[in-house]
Amino acid sequence: MIYLDNAATTKPCDEAKAAVMKGLEVFGNPSSLHRAGLDAELLVSDAREIIADALGVTPDEVYFTSGATESNNTAIFGAYKAHGKRKKRVVISSVEHPAVKNPAQELEDMGCEVIKISPDENGEINARDIFSAVNEDTFLVSCMLVNNENGYILPVEKAFSMIKKKYPQVITHCDCVQGFMKIPVKAKKLNADMISLSGHKIYAPKGIGALYVKKGIHIPPFMLGGGQEKGFRSGTESVPLICGFGAAVKKLAPNVSANFEKAADIQAYLIEKCNENGDVFVNSRKGGSPYVTSIAVNGLKSEVLLHYLEKREIYVSSGSACSKGKKSSVLKEFRYPEQSLDSTIRISFSIDTTKADIDALMEGIKSAQNDLCKVR
């Protein structure tokens, strides 16, 4: 199997799987006062410290969630609960994941003014455009760091820095799902008050994520109950999944730069091979995350090509896994040619992707062109 859909999910690494098993064996409730509970609490604390260190924050600023969707919802609706009665404006990019876009739409339905910053005529999002949309009535700005469909890196650091200098009271939130452990990410450098993370995008299990909340940012609890996670996110912590998350971060953190360079080399090879085929076009722009590349194959529908490659046990995506085959509104926002939207596939790498995998992909695409295109 050649798996090139790592932006949708990744295969759990051996370290994460071993940590999950340890978390299952240490079965006590982390909130219990006896030894079994303390052993479980220590595992949770260790994982929290690993993730906090990777972000450059303190452990008491990291809260575990069920995943990035919950983290995003907690950040957005929490900011609204804290400040939405006095202020009404929210600023997001127009290319956000549905886990940000849909909560923002809900706020708009509730009476907020939601400003969406679109790419310009060159398909670029300008930091000054984000900054210019902020005013004294703004309580939240939420922008993803890396777009999940084409790898575009948004100017979060520059935009948030400008915003914080003029409007220090505005809460800044970043969906870092496709950036964390793939490109260097530090909370202070991003000027982000809140950061959403996901485990299953970085070789940890599904069902676990985290939300960084900067000290001094007061967000009401999103999950109410027994008061776990210092009262911020109630519900008994999933010790096995948290352990897996921590183990994956521990494995990746020392090698982010080296893995980035490897991914960049693989992406350059992919682009070179695409350019050799006159009917394959690279949508992704230079300077993005090398882990995600969007390409279009002239004359072939995305879903048809996806299933053709699947028969060869080559797995790619026709876009975001959450879109389930629908034509991408995000790629429209990036001003991709209309004719390429139906023929776009997303190639996303893991740390284990090889050039041989790319060769097999390109051979599969060439075979599909020969077998499926009427005129060749």
Side-chain angles (χ1 to χ4, degrees):
M1 181 178 74
I2 296 173
Y3 186 75
L4 297 170
D5 194 18
N6 292 278
T9 196
T10 54
K11 178 182 177 181
C13 62
D14 291 341
E15 291 85 348
K17 289 188 282 187
V20 168
M21 291 306 300
K22 183 175 182 180
L24 287 169
E25 292 165 0
V26 181
F27 62 87
N29 188 319
S31 297
S32 296
L33 298 179
H34 47 61
R35 181 70 194 186
L38 177 60
D39 288 344
E41 182 186 7
L42 289 173
L43 291 181
V44 172
S45 296
D46 286 346
R48 198 188 310 274
E49 288 181 13
I50 290 167
I51 294 165
D53 185 62
L55 274 178
V57 302
T58 60
D60 60 351
E61 295 174 301
V62 174
Y63 302 90
F64 289 113
T65 67
S66 64
T69 293
E70 183 188 328
S71 295
N72 287 336
N73 276 257
T74 301
I76 292 168
F77 290 117
Y80 171 75
K81 285 183 180 179
H83 304 286
K85 289 184 179 179
R86 295 180 294 105
K87 299 186 177 186
K88 294 297 180 183
R89 179 173 284 199
V90 176
V91 178
I92 66 172
S93 83
S94 66
V95 299
E96 294 297 316
H97 187 278
V100 167
K101 189 179 292 184
N102 290 344
Q105 180 61 56
E106 181 73 11
L107 291 188
E108 191 169 47
D109 294 342
M110 293 161 62
C112 289
E113 178 188 21
V114 178
I115 307 297
K116 298 174 184 176
I117 307 303
S118 296
D120 60 21
E121 63 277 5
N122 297 315
E124 302 282 342
I125 291 180
N126 193 295
R128 187 157 291 279
D129 290 340
I130 299 172
F131 169 74
S132 297
V134 179
N135 62 16
E136 293 292 346
D137 197 40
T138 304
F139 67 87
L140 174 69
V141 178
S142 180
C143 287
M144 63 180 8
L145 182 60
V146 177
N147 185 263
N148 54 302
E149 295 194 40
N150 65 0
Y152 180 82
I153 298 177
L154 281 74
V156 172
E157 181 182 336
K158 185 175 181 180
F160 283 8
S161 176
M162 295 167 69
I163 290 165
K164 282 296 185 181
K165 284 178 183 177
K166 185 170 182 180
Y167 305 101
Q169 76 283 359
V170 171
I171 295 175
T172 51
H173 166 249
C174 184
D175 178 344
C176 267
V177 167
Q178 297 294 344
F180 185 58
M181 293 292 99
K182 296 176 183 177
I183 65 176
V185 173
K186 294 293 184 182
K188 186 175 181 179
K189 191 174 182 184
L190 280 181
N191 287 286
D193 295 320
M194 295 189 285
I195 295 175
S196 297
L197 307 176
S198 172
H200 76 103
K201 308 293 188 179
I202 59 165
Y203 318 100
K206 298 171 184 63
I208 185 65
L211 178 65
Y212 156 73
V213 182
K214 184 179 179 180
K215 284 179 183 175
I217 301 297
H218 300 291
I219 299 295
F222 188 61
M223 300 279 283
L224 302 175
Q228 291 86 352
E229 296 295 289
K230 295 173 291 180
F232 185 72
R233 198 277 188 186
S234 290
T236 301
E237 295 92 341
S238 177
V239 178
L241 299 185
I242 289 171
C243 289
F245 194 7
V249 173
K250 185 176 182 179
K251 172 187 173 72
L252 294 172
N255 303 304
V256 171
S257 296
N259 288 336
F260 181 95
E261 292 301 322
K262 179 187 174 184
D265 184 52
I266 298 291
Q267 185 188 49
Y269 187 72
L270 169 63
I271 293 172
E272 176 188 332
K273 293 299 178 183
C274 287
N275 291 337
E276 291 174 2
N277 186 322
D279 285 310
V280 179
F281 305 94
V282 178
N283 294 321
S284 294
R285 293 172 174 82
K286 291 182 180 180
S289 168
Y291 287 92
V292 182
T293 309
S294 174
I295 68 174
V297 182
N298 188 33
L300 288 176
K301 296 281 189 182
S302 307
E303 194 168 347
V304 172
L305 178 56
L306 183 153
H307 290 303
Y308 184 93
L309 293 172
E310 179 186 15
K311 290 178 181 177
R312 290 175 165 241
E313 293 195 310
I314 300 171
Y315 295 91
V316 299
S317 170
S318 57
S320 169
C322 300
S323 66
K324 294 190 180 293
K326 297 177 184 176
K327 188 178 287 189
S328 172
S329 61
V330 167
L331 298 185
K332 273 188 175 182
E333 285 291 318
F334 278 110
R335 302 181 184 250
Y336 288 9
E338 187 69 28
Q339 62 269 24
S340 74
L341 296 180
D342 286 330
S343 58
T344 290
I345 60 172
R346 180 183 66 182
I347 315 300
S348 47
F349 307 144
S350 76
I351 56 174
D352 297 318
T353 303
T354 66
K355 291 181 180 179
D357 295 334
I358 303 305
D359 288 336
L361 167 69
M362 298 310 297
E363 287 171 11
I365 290 175
K366 186 175 181 179
S367 179
Q369 291 172 315
N370 291 332
D371 292 348
L372 301 177
C373 290
K374 293 180 180 179
V375 179
R376 184 56 63 210

